[in-house]
Amino acid sequence: MEGLSEIKRILIEKFGDNIIEYKIVSPKRIIVKVKSEKVKDIASELKRLDFDMPVSAGGVDYIKKGIFEVFWIIWSSRYNVILILKTEISRDSPEVDSLVNIWKGVQKFERETWELMGINFKGHPKLKRLLLPEDWDYEKEGYPLRKDFSLKPYER
Amino acid sequence: MSVIRVEEIEELEGGLMRVRIGPQHPISGQGTIIVTTDGEIVYEIDVDIGYSHRGIEKILENRTYLQGIVPMERMVMLDTSHVDMAYVRAIEELLGIEAPPRAQYIRTIILEMNRIISHTYALGLLAESTGWFPAFFLWTTGDREPFLELMEMLTGARWSYSFIIPGGVRADLPSGFKEKALKAIEYFRERLDVYMDAWMENALFEVRTRGVGVIPSSKAIEWGAAGPNLRASGVRYDTRKNEPYAAYGELDFKIAVETAGDAYARGAVRIQEMYISLDIIQQALENMPSGPIKVNVPQRVPPGEVYSRVESARGELGVYLVSDGTDKPYRVKISAPSFRNFFLLEMLPTIQEIKFADVPVLYMSFDPWFLDADR
């Protein structure tokens, strides 16, 4: 576990109060919550610290607080722990840096989140329709994974 | 199928040609693989998924935790109990409860039987995609039958069991299960030896699969490979060992790892895993503790978030669950192994020269499952 506290020290030394929270939830889970402007720099630093394998990425819609929480889940082959990197962005201008250049494997997950939640990943190479039908109209139908998406038309 | 029936060919500038394989095609499943070729060489692969997107993540937000198990399972019909387990594990972690030991052992048995059922299907298709072994798919389909029968005996269904629930399992082992299961294990172990003989050590099969689609371990990690595809590249990573759940922490088993990283290695890992699964089932049956099979759990799950994962047949299946304290999940993010493995298929032409004729073999060696990626 020394290694993991060491990571905390390095991160806080380098990024100061851009690290909002660093929590070791259990021996195999760390949650790092950061400010959205610095997410790319922090991610590169984490990659350098051997958090190398992307596992997942996505978003959570906290509609009452007016924010989206974007998360990336990364496994470290050295420490054998899962790190959840989180950041909050405003619901009105949902935009965050894409981490595809750092962890290639998040490409499809970010693409999916862009499509179903309407979060724009800046610098993503391939933001194309993936799961929804070609003629899906966001204006009319909305983003399926947002909390204000209405299920009424689909109820029987 | 060895012969690719091309659905649509489109000529592009610079002598490139775009071939769409699917969505109604013997090898494609419920999706399309768009292959751009430069003559014989594959220039780019794009996997177009989403033909069977059902919005399972959204559906789960509108079901109670217990109700959610059934739609969740529709993700991977061949491997439903792993999907079930991933969700239940997340719920149990948030609740802070653990199922009684006997339930954990029964879970292990059903999970490993499901792994065998899934792997036999994958291997049958891999063999068939090489074009040499049209009968092999029938073999594997026939040989998984004893396990389907055991599943029916235990859960009442051949597919889609909904058997693992928060706090335990739905029913105890029926009488005569152990004897029947031991018989099935013995039978299947013999059959695996035959597979090794007739197929894995067959020169014709090796010609088609060795050296096809080699993924070095550094790339497998960088691209986020999952499950047998990761282990075939020499990465020793198995959630059953790394974060034991069910009874895996108490049982003695190895992880199947190959180093070559090619289509053959991915097949070989699956064969070895089935041997290991048989051992695990046998151990679990013999060391089965007595006691209750479930504990009562509250309807409401305390607020919080958890990322929980299990090693499904196709690889690590993760569930990121956010609860707001009600009886329904606030958000469920499922990271499906096939979703990650399709990315490997897309990235492969960037590091290696792939022949168009190898695309079916390559594709089947990843054990893809479109419903899993679509959710």
Side-chain angles (χ1 to χ4, degrees):
Chain A
M1 292 304 283
E2 284 90 44
L4 297 182
S5 334
E6 180 67 13
I7 290 168
K8 179 179 183 178
R9 196 187 59 76
I10 294 173
L11 283 181
I12 286 180
E13 200 169 89
K14 221 163 174 179
F15 298 102
D17 50 355
N18 285 309
I19 309 282
I20 299 170
E21 193 184 7
Y22 183 100
K23 197 162 70 177
I24 300 176
V25 189
S26 70
K28 303 265 181 184
R29 295 283 183 284
I30 310 172
I31 293 179
V32 182
K33 201 168 175 180
V34 302
K35 284 193 181 151
S36 65
E37 304 86 51
K38 283 281 173 202
V39 68
K40 211 168 170 179
D41 299 336
I42 293 167
S44 331
E45 185 65 23
L46 284 170
K47 171 96 185 251
R48 205 181 59 77
L49 295 167
D50 288 322
F51 284 88
D52 43 6
M53 183 164 137
V55 173
S56 181
V60 187
D61 180 6
Y62 290 105
I63 191 165
K64 280 180 196 152
K65 287 192 243 168
I67 54 164
F68 284 125
E69 194 177 79
V70 187
F71 61 86
W72 293 266
I73 300 179
I74 312 295
W75 178 65
S76 161
S77 59
R78 181 168 157 207
Y79 301 108
N80 185 16
V81 294
I82 289 267
L83 181 135
I84 303 174
L85 177 66
K86 293 201 292 194
T87 185
E88 281 176 5
I89 50 175
S90 136
R91 232 173 156 273
D92 307 321
S93 57
E95 231 182 22
V96 71
D97 284 323
S98 164
L99 302 185
V100 170
N101 291 332
I102 296 156
W103 293 300
K104 283 218 171 66
V106 299
Q107 200 231 62
K108 267 195 146 60
F109 287 103
E110 286 187 353
R111 186 173 161 192
E112 183 203 6
T113 311
W114 166 81
E115 181 186 28
L116 298 179
M117 275 197 134
I119 294 169
N120 188 21
F121 288 90
K122 281 183 286 182
H124 192 288
K126 200 174 175 181
L127 287 182
K128 262 171 48 183
R129 206 62 75 77
L130 186 67
L131 296 171
L132 292 177
E134 308 269 303
D135 56 353
W136 185 267
D137 185 359
Y138 287 119
E139 296 281 304
K140 211 172 88 203
E141 322 215 35
Y143 292 92
L145 284 184
R146 287 192 183 178
K147 283 286 171 184
D148 50 6
F149 179 77
S150 167
L151 288 179
K152 271 274 174 308
Y154 307 95
E155 278 171 9
R156 259 185 270 166
Chain B
M1 293 290 141
S2 56
V3 183
I4 291 189
R5 213 162 35 82
V6 172
E7 308 285 326
E8 191 189 303
I9 298 179
E10 193 184 330
E11 281 190 34
L12 307 172
E13 277 173 32
L16 295 179
M17 201 160 67
R18 184 174 293 147
V19 185
R20 295 174 69 92
I21 306 172
Q24 290 167 355
H25 186 276
I27 74 149
S28 75
Q30 301 88 333
T32 307
I33 315 159
I34 304 165
V35 187
T36 311
T37 63
D38 184 359
E40 184 73 356
I41 305 300
V42 172
Y43 178 75
E44 191 184 56
I45 297 180
D46 193 8
V47 183
D48 184 14
I49 59 173
Y51 288 83
S52 50
H53 177 60
R54 290 145 291 171
I56 289 181
E57 290 174 9
K58 191 73 185 176
I59 292 172
L60 291 178
E61 289 175 13
N62 295 284
R63 299 275 187 287
T64 63
Y65 287 96
L66 200 57
Q67 286 172 339
I69 287 172
V70 177
M72 175 101 178
E73 276 194 342
R74 267 60 189 164
M75 221 171 87
V76 198
M77 277 316 270
L78 269 176
D79 196 17
T80 50
S81 57
H82 277 111
V83 186
D84 193 348
M85 185 71 225
Y87 193 41
V88 167
R89 191 180 187 200
I91 299 168
E92 285 183 351
E93 266 177 45
L94 270 182
L95 282 167
I97 57 158
E98 266 190 33
R102 190 173 173 85
Q104 303 282 27
Y105 274 74
I106 295 176
R107 281 177 180 182
T108 311
I109 290 171
I110 181 172
L111 291 173
E112 289 307 314
M113 290 206 299
N114 231 169
R115 190 183 311 280
I116 290 172
I117 290 169
S118 180
H119 277 357
T120 45
Y121 185 79
L123 286 167
L125 285 179
L126 175 58
E128 194 161 292
S129 71
T130 61
W132 296 108
F133 305 92
F136 195 80
F137 186 61
L138 302 178
W139 281 15
T140 53
T141 312
D143 289 338
R144 71 180 188 197
E145 200 64 20
F147 292 101
L148 289 175
E149 276 171 21
L150 284 170
M151 286 288 199
E152 192 179 359
M153 193 174 171
L154 180 60
T155 69
R158 285 163 62 85
W159 302 110
S160 179
Y161 318 108
S162 311
F163 192 68
I164 298 169
I165 50 171
V169 291
R170 281 196 196 271
D172 208 342
L173 294 181
S175 63
F177 182 85
K178 187 179 171 185
E179 293 71 34
K180 211 175 161 189
L182 290 175
K183 220 168 127 188
I185 290 169
E186 199 186 328
Y187 167 76
F188 196 70
R189 204 171 269 144
E190 274 169 30
R191 292 300 294 169
L192 281 178
D193 294 341
V194 175
Y195 292 177
M196 290 299 282
D197 230 25
W199 177 51
M200 289 309 274
E201 286 161 14
N202 188 321
L204 291 174
F205 180 70
E206 291 190 38
V207 164
R208 284 304 306 271
T209 51
R210 279 211 194 267
V212 173
V214 179
I215 303 179
S217 60
S218 62
K219 291 287 175 195
I221 288 181
E222 191 184 332
W223 297 342
N229 304 332
L230 179 64
R231 292 191 283 280
S233 295
V235 182
R236 189 169 286 276
Y237 174 80
D238 190 317
T239 315
R240 289 177 291 173
K241 279 277 188 210
N242 287 16
E243 279 178 34
Y245 52 98
Y248 291 115
E250 295 161 34
L251 300 174
D252 175 35
F253 64 99
K254 289 197 202 74
I255 308 177
V257 181
E258 290 275 329
T259 48
D262 55 7
Y264 185 87
R266 291 191 274 276
V269 164
R270 291 198 173 87
I271 286 251
Q272 288 171 30
E273 278 191 0
M274 289 200 283
Y275 276 114
I276 295 167
S277 292
L278 293 176
D279 286 344
I280 295 175
I281 300 172
Q282 200 163 353
Q283 278 183 47
L285 282 168
E286 275 155 14
N287 301 323
M288 177 74 64
S290 55
I293 53 156
K294 61 184 159 203
V295 291
N296 284 335
V297 293
Q299 288 259 320
R300 286 166 191 277
V301 171
E305 59 185 51
V306 67
Y307 178 72
S308 124
R309 51 200 184 135
V310 301
E311 188 71 29
S312 82
R314 277 167 191 75
E316 176 192 337
L317 194 134
V319 171
Y320 182 73
L321 180 67
V322 182
S323 163
D324 59 351
T326 59
D327 58 349
K328 291 173 185 163
Y330 186 75
R331 169 91 167 97
V332 186
K333 166 74 194 154
I334 307 161
S335 51
S338 296
F339 197 68
R340 289 160 61 183
N341 289 334
F342 280 136
F343 185 63
L344 304 187
L345 190 62
E346 288 183 358
M347 291 306 280
L348 253 177
T350 61
I351 60 159
Q352 206 192 8
E353 200 170 81
I354 290 165
K355 292 203 178 82
F356 186 66
D358 284 337
V359 170
V361 176
L362 188 60
Y363 169 74
M364 283 307 174
S365 74
F366 285 120
D367 188 10
W369 194 258
F370 274 98
L371 298 174
D372 172 353
D374 286 352
R375 279 154 292 140

